[in-house]
Structure formats: C-alpha cells, structure tokens
C-alpha cells in the first residue's frame, strides 16, 4: 500500500488537498455593473480604500421648462374641467329635452281629454236641446181644435190660472213676441224640427223677437188678454212661419210625446 504508484495516485487524485483561494463577491466581478454609489460602497468594503460616497443625482429644470410643465399641467386640468362641464351641460340638456317631451305628452293627453270631454258635453247638450217639454206642467183642455161658434178654432185652449209659467218646448228661435189683435200678448217660436208654435192671451211676455230658447226656458205667463173669456193658453201649431196654415195640435202633441 506504500508503493510509489499508490502514493502518486493519492496525491495526484481526488484525495489531494487543494489550497483554498479567496473568492471575490460576484458583485466585484468584471461582468457585473452596479450604480455608481453602490459600487463605491463595495470597493470600500473589499479593499479598505476610502472612496467618497456618491451624492444623489438631481435634475435641475430651467425656468422655461418649469413654465412649460406648469402650462401643460394647467392645460390638462382645464381640459378635464371642460370635459366635466360639457358632460354636465349635456346631462342638463338631455334632462331638459326629456322634460319638454314629457310636458308635450302631458299637454297632448290633456288636450285629448279636454276634446273628448267637450265633444261629450256638446253631444249631451245637443241631446238636451232636442228634448221636448210641455208648455204648461198641468193643463185642462177647455176648447178643442175645429169648428166653434160659426168659425174654425185653429188651436186648443189649455186652462190654467193667470200667472202660471209658460215654457219653451224645445230648442228654437223666437219669431214674434208682442201684442196681436185678438191674441192679445202673443209669442211665436220656430223649433229645430221646423214646427211653429203660437202662444196667445198671455198676461206677460218674458222674451223678445230673435231670442234663442231651450227646453224649459220660461217665455211668459198665462193670462186673459185679447179676445178671451177666461184665463187660459191658446196653443196653436202652424206649418209655416209666414202664412196662417194651422194644424190640429193633438196629433202633434202625441207625436212629440207630450199628450
């Protein structure tokens, strides 16, 4: 075991004691680059030399550059403000537009409701205007239509106390209101269906020629004026407004639901 060959292999092989050499940190190797200040600190540590510590670097801006930076910053702030203001203005305009549209819709709906209500009221008024009512609420026929005392009696006599109200029978126009010979106080009304009705012997007239009347309007009072022998209403139906063309009032009253 002490042969030369063994000894040579021992010292020349893996069991030979190797001398340790000091290794430099990787940071000090030629392939590593550090910032100036850090490199200076490491040199001092490794070699013991005194190296002045690098001062932090600073960037000095000229007055023109500072003004430009401030201008750019102010412009950016102004742009942001303008954008915010435009957005707010757009939002206000949008809200105002929606408000106008909603107001127009409400106005249109209100106008439609009003038109419907007016049309309905007009139709109801027209219907009421064409309603027929009796000239006296309560009457007592004392003389009929036809031959009487040697001549024709062109109407019927409806007895009632003097002062009893007389009414327009439907919608019509007054074509005469005043005194006329044997009729005394007389009223003639032409109604919407063309019928012409005469009232005679009235004690008072409450309307004038040309007036418009509606069903139930008071036109005067029962009386005993003219050629009359007691308080009553002479009720007469005429075919025309200008000529004396009397009709039997009873069928007319029946046809209008007033008999």
């Amino acid at each position: 075991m002490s042969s030369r060959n063994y000894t040579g292999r021992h010292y020349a092989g893996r069991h030979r004691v190797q001398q340790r050499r000091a290794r430099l940190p990787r940071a000090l190797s030629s392939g590593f680059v550090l910032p100036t200040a850090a490199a200076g600190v490491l040199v001092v540590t490794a070699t013991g030399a005194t190296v002045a510590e690098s001062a932090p670097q600073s960037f000095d801006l000229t007055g023109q550059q500072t003004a430009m930076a401030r201008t750019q910053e102010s412009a950016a702030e102004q742009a942001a403000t303008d954008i915010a203001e435009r957005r707010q203005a757009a939002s206000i305009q949008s809200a105002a537009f929606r408000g106008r549209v909603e107001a127009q819709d409400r106005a249109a709906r209100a106008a439609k409701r009003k038109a419907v209500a007016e049309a309905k009221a007009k139709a109801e008024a027209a219907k009421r205007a064409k309603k027929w009512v009796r000239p006296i609420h309560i009457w007592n026929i004392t003389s009929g239509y036809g031959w009487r005392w040697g001549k024709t009696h062109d109407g019927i006599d409806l007895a009632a106390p003097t002062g009893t109200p007389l009414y327009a029978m439907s919608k019509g126009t007054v074509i005469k209101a005043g005194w006329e010979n044997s009729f005394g106080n007389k009223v003639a009304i032409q109604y919407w269906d063309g019928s012409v009705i005469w009232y005679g012997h009235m004690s008072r007239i409450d309307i004038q020629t040309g007036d418009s009347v509606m069903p139930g309007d008071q036109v005067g009072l029962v009386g005993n004026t003219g050629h009359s022998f007691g308080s009553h209403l002479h009720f007469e139906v005429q075919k025309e407004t200008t000529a004396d063309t009397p009709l039997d009032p009873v069928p007319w009253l029946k046809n209008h639901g007033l008999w």
Side-chain angles (χ1 to χ4, degrees):
M1 298 300 291
S2 59
S3 65
R4 292 179 180 178
N5 293 334
Y6 173 78
T7 304
R9 290 194 301 271
H10 183 75
Y11 285 100
R14 61 176 179 242
H15 296 291
R16 186 177 55 183
V17 177
Q18 297 180 359
Q19 295 181 354
R20 294 180 176 273
R21 290 183 300 175
R23 294 182 180 179
L24 290 175
R26 181 173 176 276
L28 298 180
S29 65
S30 61
F32 186 79
V33 179
L34 288 177
T36 305
V41 173
L42 289 176
V43 170
V44 171
T45 304
T47 62
T50 303
V51 179
E53 203 174 306
S54 300
Q57 294 184 359
S58 61
F59 298 93
D60 294 332
L61 300 177
T62 65
Q64 183 178 2
Q65 292 172 331
T66 301
M68 184 178 297
R70 289 177 178 174
T71 301
Q72 292 175 348
E73 182 180 4
S74 176
E77 292 177 353
Q78 185 61 41
T81 302
D82 292 343
I83 291 173
E85 290 178 350
R86 287 197 295 271
R87 287 178 178 174
Q88 184 178 10
S91 177
I92 293 173
Q93 291 177 356
S94 178
F97 177 76
R98 289 196 301 271
R100 289 194 297 271
V101 171
E102 292 175 357
Q104 291 173 355
D105 290 342
R106 289 194 297 270
R109 290 194 296 270
K112 185 177 180 180
R113 289 194 298 269
K114 183 179 179 181
V116 170
E118 289 178 349
K120 184 178 179 181
K122 187 176 181 180
E124 292 177 352
K127 184 177 180 180
R128 289 194 301 270
K130 293 183 177 182
K131 181 178 69 172
W132 292 92
V133 300
R134 290 159 67 100
I136 307 175
H137 289 166
I138 299 175
W139 66 49
N140 181 28
I141 297 179
T142 57
S143 181
Y145 175 82
W147 191 258
R148 187 186 69 170
W149 303 338
K151 61 180 182 180
T152 59
H153 183 230
D154 293 337
I156 57 176
D157 292 342
L158 307 177
T162 297
T164 301
L166 295 172
Y167 303 104
M169 303 177 70
S170 192
K171 179 181 179 181
T173 303
V174 179
I175 59 177
K176 181 178 178 58
W179 185 272
E180 184 178 330
N181 301 325
S182 62
F183 283 96
N185 288 323
K186 174 185 175 182
V187 165
I189 301 175
Q190 184 175 27
Y191 292 105
W192 60 269
D193 68 342
S195 301
V196 179
I197 306 299
W198 291 359
Y199 293 174
H201 310 307
M202 300 167 63
S203 63
R204 190 181 78 191
I205 297 175
D206 294 336
I207 52 177
Q208 296 179 354
T209 301
D211 286 351
S212 296
V213 293
M214 298 294 287
D217 287 351
Q218 182 171 313
V219 297
L221 304 175
V222 172
N224 189 29
T225 59
H227 189 195
S228 174
F229 298 98
S231 179
H232 70 282
L233 169 66
H234 175 80
F235 181 85
E236 191 168 321
V237 179
Q238 292 284 334
K239 292 173 59 176
E240 301 177 11
T241 59
T242 57
D244 188 3
T245 53
L247 298 172
D248 187 349
V250 174
W252 187 93
L253 289 168
K254 290 180 178 180
N255 290 336
H256 289 77
L258 303 175
W259 184 248

